[in-house]
Amino acid sequence: MPANTRPTLALVAARAGVSPSTASLAFAGSPRVTPGTRQRVLTAAGELGYAGPDPLAASLRRGRSGVVGTFVGERLLYAFRDPVAIQLLDGITEVLGPRGVGLLLLAGDTSRPGLDKLARIPLDAAIFATCGLEDDPALHLLLQRGVPLVGVEGPVADGVVLIDIDDRGGIAELGRHLYELGHRRVATVAMPLRLDGTRGLVDDVRRSVGHYRDVRHRLEGVFDVFGPVPAMETASNAVDEGERAGRALLDVPAQRRPTAVLAQSDVLAAGVLRAAAALGLRVPEDVSVAGFDGADLPWLLPTVLSTVVQPTDEKGRMAARAVVELLDGNLPPDVDLPVSVRLGTTTGPPPDTVRR
């Protein structure tokens, strides 16, 4: 092992030929580990200079930390800028706060602690609040640790309680509204399929990579109504990203321009509205714009965005209640919350030149 590499439980486990959970049990003196296996683990630890789990972790095994890890998408700054993320976290704290439980916010990007550090963070439970990839290494680490998990719209995995909404059906209902108005040339602005900085049109290869479940379902809902349409992926769920995508879709000759753009979030839709205004396009006379979330965006007034309204605060409360149930030793059922379409001033019939 290189001199500057700090020994970890995972390295000890690999050297002893056992899983990290078995190595942890060996250090704890669990009777579930045979004497021979325990000796292999201790020998490997001695060879690597690993002194064992820290005292704080050992003490926490005898009780609770009072901390629930909450994974949020993208950078932590996202959690304090996105109105939906704020509303979701508010719903979580509404339930857990009075119980004296603290939230530890963990980012979904490269600023998230490494797995070796995450393995040592004392958590009573964890909520994947705005991110949930089934191939997320953090998910598998926490499952291996036996940490009770709740996923908001994902991930879907054995041992994870799911708090879900009808993303696909909701955006399809909004799409049918546009179809009935006469729109046929439609595009969609998508949230990130993965947090890797990718922007641009989504092709079959990009759709085949692991991705966020809500993004996939919202794409599928649009395709259910219009068939495959241009889908412009953004690098993050932010207004400026929505504007960048909106410009790419709308700054083309009128005969090729979509007559309606369905964005996967209200924040992205606000960016598309900004792009349309910069290009001199009237909404909804020249192009209709719709979103998803039902977020509170008073700075758009007097414009009222047509959108799919989801019960974001209730999602947070349900996730927190599921955590409470899990910590009480119960297994709560998965939850599927309804959504609804709210029509505003940003959708109307397509321009006369393309109306059917």
Side-chain angles (χ1 to χ4, degrees), residues 71 112 115 128 131-141 194:
F71 290 84
R112 177 193 292 182
L115 292 183
F128 284 83
C131 59
L133 290 170
E134 278 76 14
D135 62 355
D136 189 336
L139 168 68
H140 299 290
L141 172 65
R194 291 189 78 89

Side-chain angles (χ1 to χ4, degrees), residues 275-282 286:
L279 294 170
L281 299 175
R282 300 167 301 162
D286 298 318

Side-chain angles (χ1 to χ4, degrees), residues 33-111:
V33 179
T34 65
T37 299
R38 182 173 186 273
Q39 187 56 52
R40 289 208 320 274
V41 171
L42 295 178
T43 298
E47 293 170 349
L48 293 170
Y50 180 73
D54 60 29
L56 175 61
S59 68
L60 290 172
R61 283 197 295 271
R62 297 190 292 270
R64 288 184 181 174
S65 66
V67 175
V68 171
T70 307
F71 290 84
V72 296
E74 310 184 39
R75 297 176 298 160
L76 285 180
L77 185 61
Y78 161 85
F80 301 103
R81 283 185 172 176
D82 184 270
V84 174
I86 292 172
Q87 194 175 0
L88 181 67
L89 292 172
D90 188 57
I92 293 172
T93 56
E94 182 181 328
V95 174
L96 295 183
R99 289 171 161 69
V101 176
L103 294 185
L104 174 63
L105 294 184
L106 298 163
D109 67 353
T110 54
S111 64

